[in-house]
Amino acid sequence: MSNHYDALGVSRDATAEEIKKAYRKLARKLHPDVNDAPDAQDRFKSVTHAYEVLSDPQKRRVYDTTGNENGNDNGGGNYGGGGDGFAFQDIFESFFGGGGGGGGRGPASRTRRGQDALITVRVELREAVFGVNKKLEIDTAVICPTCDGSCCRPGTSPTTCDICHGSGQVQRPMRSILGNVMTVATCNSCQGFGTMIIDPCNECMGDGRVRNRRAFTIKVPAGVSTGTRIQLSGQGEVGPAGGPAGDLYVEMKVNNDPAFLREGDDLHATLSVPMTAAALGTELTFETFDGEQPISIKPGTQAGEIINLRSLGVTHLRGFGRGDLKVHIHVETPTKPDAAQEELLKQLAVLRGESFTEGKLVSSGGMFAKLRDKLGNL
C-alpha cells in the first residue's frame, strides 16, 4: 500500500489545514477533466483516498499507529495499536454482525426509499358533499434529471473501493477475552457501499435527487370531513440515489359554509318565514346544494320546527346514500310595524279575544288568558 503522506506530499506531522491545501492543489492538477495523462485517474483516486483517511482524526490515528487504516499492520501481529486493547463492541460485531456491514451481508445499497410527506388541502363544503378533482403543486425531491439518479457525472460511474474490494466490509483480528477473533466492520473508506463516487454529479452533488415543484391532480372522494387523510402511494419524496418514492398523505380541511352547518353527514340550515306565512301556511322554495327544493309551510307552523329533506345532505364516505338536510324554521315578527300594520294586528288580537290597553295585553279568554292565569299563580 502506498504511503498516504507521500501521496499528498506532506510530512507525518502536517496539520489538518496543510493536508487540505495539499489535497486541493493535487485534485485540481490530477482531475481527469484537466489532466489526460494515462496515470492521472489512478493518481487522482490515490490522492482522494489518502485525503479521506488523513482528514478523519480517528482514521489518521489508526493509520499512524498500525500503518493501515483497517487497524492492523501488514504482519497481523499488532491487535491493539499499542495499548488500545480490546472492545466488547468488536466482539459483538464478530458474532452478531454489528458495525453496519455485519455478518457478511455484502455492500450496502446507496438506493433508499424516500420519506413520506403530509400536506393539507382545503375544500369547500359543497366539494365535500359531492367530491371534486383538485390540482395541487408541491415542493418535493425528484430524480436528478442530469444523472438520472446515478449520483455520478454523466459519462462516469462509481468505482470499486480498493480497500474492501467491493464487499463494503473489512475484517480485522482483535484480541479479546475469548482469544483472537476476526471482526467484521463497515469499510470506512466507502462507508459500506463497496464503491466510491469519485466524480459526483454537479447538479445533485452526488445525492441522485434534487428539489423541484411537481404538479398533479388528486381525486377527493365525496363525504370527506376535516381530518380525513388520503394516502397516495409512491407520490412522496424520491429516495437517495433515485430510490423509490415514499407515500404522500393528503389531509382534508373542510371550510365552513355561510348557509349550511354540518353534523356528521347531515346538513342544517335556517329558513325565515313571515309571521303571516307561518300562521296561514304557504309554499316556498329553498336553495340547496342540489338546487331549489319546494318546502311546504303548514298553517300554524311554530318557530323552531324542523322540516326534514331526505337524502340532501353529505354523501356517506363509506357505504351508499346521503345524509339529510334539516331546515329549521325561523318565524319573523315585525319589529317596527307602521300605523296600518299595527291597527291590523290589534284587530287580529280582538278576534282572538285579546286587546291592548295602554300598551298592555288584556286577554278575555283563549290561549293568552290561560297563560295569564298560570303566571298569576306563580
Side-chain angles (χ1 to χ4, degrees):
M1 177 179 293
S2 62
N3 186 302
H4 292 333
Y5 291 101
D6 291 343
L8 293 176
V10 297
S11 63
R12 298 185 68 88
D13 58 354
T15 64
E17 186 63 27
E18 290 173 341
I19 292 174
K20 181 185 293 186
K21 288 181 178 179
Y23 169 69
R24 288 180 175 177
K25 179 179 179 180
L26 289 172
R28 287 194 295 267
K29 176 181 178 182
L30 299 174
H31 197 281
D33 286 345
V34 298
N35 193 329
D36 56 0
D39 63 340
Q41 185 171 1
D42 290 339
R43 291 181 60 193
F44 179 75
K45 293 179 182 179
S46 177
V47 168
T48 300
H49 178 62
Y51 176 70
E52 289 178 350
V53 174
L54 299 184
S55 62
D56 186 309
Q58 182 178 358
K59 293 180 183 179
R60 183 179 181 183
R61 179 180 61 82
V62 173
Y63 179 76
D64 289 344
T65 304
T66 66
N68 188 306
E69 60 263 33
N70 293 336
N72 59 292
D73 59 18
N74 294 331
N78 189 337
Y79 303 115
D84 284 347
F86 60 86
F88 283 100
Q89 180 180 357
D90 294 323
I91 299 174
F92 280 97
E93 286 177 3
S94 64
F95 288 102
F96 304 108
R105 290 176 297 182
S109 174
R110 296 182 188 274
T111 302
R112 299 193 301 276
R113 181 181 183 274
Q115 291 185 341
D116 295 338
L118 173 66
I119 62 173
T120 299
V121 174
R122 288 185 171 271
V123 296
E124 301 300 328
L125 181 57
R126 175 186 291 272
E127 296 173 332
V129 171
F130 300 109
V132 67
N133 290 328
K134 280 283 188 181
K135 293 183 178 180
L136 305 177
E137 288 188 353
I138 59 173
D139 290 319
T140 186
V142 299
I143 292 181
C144 176
T146 299
C147 68
D148 198 27
S150 70
C151 305
C152 302
R153 185 173 61 85
T156 66
S157 60
T159 302
T160 301
C161 177
D162 58 357
I163 301 300
C164 66
H165 305 291
S167 68
Q169 303 168 334
V170 291
Q171 294 183 343
R172 61 183 181 183
M174 180 65 67
R175 186 163 49 206
S176 72
I177 58 176
L178 302 179
N180 292 339
V181 296
M182 188 66 70
T183 65
V184 179
T186 299
C187 176
N188 289 327
S189 180
C190 65
Q191 305 303 314
F193 296 124
T195 58
M196 301 176 64
I197 298 178
I198 303 301
D199 200 356
C201 172
N202 291 330
E203 183 168 355
C204 65
M205 305 304 293
D207 191 39
R209 56 182 182 170
V210 294
R211 303 294 298 187
N212 201 356
R213 195 165 187 83
R214 182 165 62 89
F216 61 98
T217 300
I218 176 177
K219 180 177 177 60
V220 179
V224 297
S225 58
T226 296
T228 299
R229 286 190 179 183
I230 301 174
Q231 180 181 2
L232 302 178
S233 299
Q235 295 293 326
E237 292 189 350
V238 169
D247 296 339
L248 175 65
Y249 292 87
V250 182
E251 184 171 275
M252 295 295 133
K253 176 70 174 179
V254 181
N255 294 331
N256 294 328
D257 189 90
F260 297 94
L261 175 67
R262 178 177 180 177
E263 288 187 358
D265 287 341
D266 290 336
L267 295 177
H268 295 260
T270 300
L271 175 61
S272 296
V273 298
M275 181 181 67
T276 53
L280 301 175
T282 187
E283 295 291 332
L284 300 174
T285 58
F286 185 71
E287 185 66 33
T288 72
F289 287 139
D290 294 83
E292 290 187 346
Q293 298 293 324
I295 290 184
S296 178
I297 305 297
K298 297 179 180 179
T301 296
Q302 301 296 306
E305 289 191 15
I306 299 176
I307 298 177
N308 193 53
L309 302 181
R310 294 183 59 81
S311 298
L312 292 182
V314 181
T315 303
H316 299 313
L317 182 60
R318 296 175 179 84
F320 301 95
R322 297 168 59 182
D324 297 336
L325 171 57
K326 301 180 183 297
V327 181
H328 299 253
I329 301 301
H330 171 69
V331 178
E332 296 178 339
T333 302
T335 56
K336 295 181 179 180
D338 56 26
Q341 292 173 337
E342 185 175 346
E343 182 60 30
L344 289 174
L345 291 173
K346 288 181 179 180
Q347 292 179 20
L348 176 60
V350 171
L351 291 175
R352 290 172 54 87
E354 303 143 6
S355 63
F356 284 86
T357 303
E358 297 180 356
K360 295 182 180 180
L361 175 63
V362 178
S363 177
S364 59
M367 177 177 62
F368 287 99
K370 294 179 181 179
L371 179 59
R372 181 195 59 193
D373 293 340
K374 288 183 178 180
L375 294 175
N377 293 330
L378 295 178

